[in-house]
Amino acid sequence: MCDTSYPPDLIKQILDVKGVEWLCDEIARDEDPVYVQKYLSNELTAYFGSETFTGKRILDFGCGCGASTMWLARQFPQSKVIGVELVDDLLSVAKARLKHYGYKNVEFFQSPNRDELPRNIGRFDLVILSAVYEHLLPDERQVVLKQLWSSVVENGSLFLNQTPNLAFPLELHTTMLPLINYAPDRLALWAARRFSRRIDPFESWQELLRKGIRGSTVSEITGILNDSSSDVILLEPSRNGFQDRVDLWFSTTNSSNLFTLKKISKIVLKGLYKLTALALVPDLALAYNKTSPSAK
């Protein structure tokens, strides 16, 4: 059960699209301040000042049912926010949310396919992939990320968050299994089917990839972006008291029985980062700035 300010017709539409088991989760994505809002707020402001994108164009790629888009509309009321989504049913909920709030600075477009952006949507000062990248198949990542990067204006930025870190020893997104991130695909598939209670024993590797079993790494994402004519600058979170991506990961920790364990983990990960410069956090929250080669 959950409390909501949504009208009955919007609740019913979400129910029809997401099902009863995901109804409250989808509502919370928009209304719960410690869910999507907390991740986006903590992580974006760790890289950028709130004034950075005021009056600019922002793309929320893979916006789903529009929860992240609604937050961006509230956070940047003077900016134009474009939400792009492939699945028609999810897009219908996003549009219904927009109608409910009545925001004037939001517009939604549907992607023609999984590896192509809508035509004539223009270029952007900020492109966001929030809990999206891990659901792209390997060949799609190459194509989509390059297209998104080309849509970023000079001195604009690309921000990616809530993508599982493939270098982390626990696969926490799909299977909850240890060491599976380091296993070859066939062994990972066997282990997922055999040991994970969250996986149907008949699911294919393609289905698991679509669910996000293979997150990503900093080097993979940076490598794709570097294959372009512009310079790619990986930013470090340095605002609001943050020193590195370990601090940033810990900032999204909610008060719970796991808080002490996470605090100990933070100390260990901070030590590892100082020794190796490797931020071995469970999820990636990365920001890239785009500059011309002459500005290097």
Side-chain angles (χ1 to χ4, degrees):
M1 297 180 63
C2 57
D3 294 325
T4 179
S5 64
Y6 285 179
D9 58 337
L10 179 53
I11 295 172
K12 184 179 185 305
Q13 186 168 357
I14 296 173
L15 176 63
D16 291 342
V17 171
K18 302 288 288 190
V20 66
E21 67 273 22
W22 292 106
L23 173 63
C24 285
D25 177 83
E26 186 55 52
I27 292 173
R29 287 174 180 270
D30 178 31
E31 295 193 318
D32 189 342
V34 297
Y35 200 172
V36 171
Q37 297 179 42
K38 182 173 182 179
Y39 281 96
L40 281 173
S41 179
N42 282 18
E43 294 170 347
L44 263 180
T45 57
Y47 288 104
F48 309 107
S50 59
E51 73 285 352
T52 305
F53 303 109
T54 299
K56 303 296 180 64
R57 300 189 82 239
I58 301 171
L59 173 61
D60 185 15
F61 178 77
C63 64
C65 291
S68 53
T69 318
M70 297 302 103
W71 180 85
L72 289 167
R74 293 189 288 268
Q75 185 72 10
F76 303 103
Q78 305 303 317
S79 300
K80 179 69 174 182
V81 181
I82 303 296
V84 168
E85 173 55 45
L86 172 68
V87 182
D88 186 63
D89 285 347
L90 302 184
L91 197 58
S92 69
V93 174
K95 291 179 178 179
R97 270 182 167 142
L98 178 57
K99 182 179 179 180
H100 166 63
Y101 285 115
Y103 297 140
K104 303 300 183 184
N105 62 329
V106 176
E107 192 173 359
F108 287 107
F109 290 85
Q110 186 168 15
S111 290
N113 53 59
R114 291 189 181 276
D115 56 6
E116 186 178 349
L117 298 180
R119 293 185 178 181
N120 303 318
I121 61 172
R123 303 185 73 196
F124 300 91
D125 301 277
L126 174 64
V127 171
I128 293 178
L129 294 89
S130 183
V132 171
Y133 185 81
E134 65 274 16
H135 299 291
L136 298 173
L137 300 180
D139 56 336
E140 294 170 352
R141 295 179 182 188
Q142 292 279 341
V143 176
V144 170
L145 202 55
K146 289 177 181 178
Q147 287 189 43
L148 290 172
W149 188 243
S150 68
S151 75
V152 176
V153 301
E154 186 175 331
N155 294 320
S157 301
L158 183 143
F159 173 77
L160 177 154
N161 79 333
Q162 289 189 268
T163 290
N165 185 358
L166 196 57
F168 194 69
L170 293 176
E171 199 288 301
L172 299 172
H173 185 273
T174 307
T175 65
M176 300 297 289
L177 294 178
L179 305 179
I180 197 171
N181 284 340
Y182 309 145
D185 291 353
R186 293 184 65 180
L187 179 58
L189 173 61
W190 173 82
R193 289 172 167 174
R194 177 68 176 81
F195 298 109
S196 177
R197 297 182 178 180
R198 307 175 74 189
I199 299 301
D200 187 300
F202 300 102
E203 285 190 81
S204 68
W205 184 241
Q206 192 87 343
E207 289 171 321
L208 294 183
L209 285 175
R210 186 63 75 192
K211 284 185 173 182
I213 192 172
R214 290 303 202 201
S216 188
T217 60
V218 177
S219 60
E220 177 195 322
I221 296 166
T222 305
I224 295 173
L225 297 181
N226 272 326
D227 187 17
S228 67
S229 59
S230 59
D231 284 341
V232 180
I233 300 175
L234 175 61
L235 305 177
E236 288 294 332
S238 58
R239 300 175 58 88
N240 301 335
F242 297 122
Q243 297 179 354
D244 51 49
R245 291 193 295 274
V246 177
D247 289 335
L248 191 53
W249 162 71
F250 188 73
S251 72
T252 58
T253 301
N254 297 322
S255 297
S256 68
N257 294 331
L258 296 177
F259 183 82
T260 300
L261 178 59
K262 283 195 171 184
K263 199 167 184 179
I264 296 171
S265 299
K266 178 187 175 182
I267 295 172
V268 174
L269 294 178
K270 288 281 280 188
L272 179 65
Y273 182 79
K274 289 180 179 180
L275 289 173
T276 66
L278 176 65
L280 199 62
V281 293
D283 298 301
L284 300 176
L286 306 175
Y288 294 88
N289 185 248
K290 183 177 186 178
T291 63
S292 64
S294 60
K296 195 167 184 178

